[in-house]
Amino acid sequence: MNMDRTKRILIWGTGEKATELCENGVFGNIVGFVETKKNKKEFKSIPVYDIDESWPEHDFVIVATVHSGEIYEECTIRRIPVERFVFLYPVTQIVGETRADILRDILSEKNYIEYCERFGLFRETFYMKDFQEYREKNTRKAF
């Protein structure tokens, strides 16, 4: 697995879910946070941007809030492309970046497994890969 830690990540949200995401880890450089209605200048000593402000250059936006549906609708209204967005919580349809290889590159194992559980993508988790590798390496006949 290629964990490119040079990816520039924006995180949409500054609440409990964004805190959990950061504590679980993100593979990349967090260049800022976005709030739909900005109420703070910094979060975790990193700049916070309003939806209408110019955001720093970034590769992905991770939406770390349970209000994913509202954010998706706002982006649609404002014509903000969501192809490189990772919605950690479901919206009415699966949108944004959904390729497993990309998600594994930017989300820590814990964040990725939680994402897969929310979207019912169990076969895409690290668990299945690890289990298959274990079965291949295990030479005990009684297993």
Side-chain angles (χ1 to χ4, degrees):
M1 173 175 16
N2 175 26
M3 291 188 212
D4 181 0
R5 298 185 194 286
T6 62
K7 288 185 173 64
R8 297 163 298 189
I9 308 291
L10 269 175
I11 296 176
W12 197 313
T14 58
E16 178 184 334
K17 300 305 177 186
T19 300
E20 284 177 22
L21 174 74
C22 293
E23 287 173 358
N24 291 341
V26 173
F27 299 133
N29 180 28
I30 300 172
V31 296
F33 290 87
V34 177
E35 291 182 323
T36 308
K37 294 181 180 172
K38 181 177 170 182
N39 63 23
K40 54 186 81 146
K41 291 183 179 187
E42 288 186 343
F43 181 71
K44 298 193 170 289
S45 302
I46 298 173
V48 175
Y49 299 89
D50 186 83
I51 189 172
D52 294 319
E53 285 183 283
S54 181
W55 302 346
E57 253 186 78
H58 58 278
D59 299 302
F60 296 96
V61 176
I62 300 175
V63 181
T65 172
V66 296
H67 304 290
S68 296
E70 292 92 332
I71 290 171
Y72 175 72
E73 288 176 22
E74 268 309 308
C75 289
T76 301
I77 291 166
R78 296 166 188 264
R79 297 188 176 167
I80 298 171
V82 297
E83 291 81 20
R84 303 297 269 180
F85 278 44
V86 175
F87 290 90
L88 295 181
Y89 293 86
V91 292
T92 55
Q93 59 192 359
I94 296 178
V95 295
E97 183 58 72
T98 60
R99 292 176 294 176
D101 59 326
I102 298 291
L103 295 174
R104 280 191 198 110
D105 275 354
I106 62 175
L107 298 176
S108 69
E109 181 174 350
K110 185 171 182 176
N111 286 324
Y112 181 72
I113 288 171
E114 288 176 4
Y115 174 91
C116 289
E117 288 172 353
R118 279 187 209 106
F119 288 95
L121 304 172
F122 297 104
R123 67 177 179 263
E124 300 291 341
T125 65
F126 291 95
Y127 170 79
M128 293 304 289
K129 180 179 172 257
D130 290 348
F131 180 71
Q132 181 178 353
E133 187 177 318
Y134 178 77
R135 278 194 338 199
E136 291 170 3
K137 290 180 178 179
N138 185 0
T139 58
R140 297 178 301 172
K141 291 183 182 188
F143 179 67

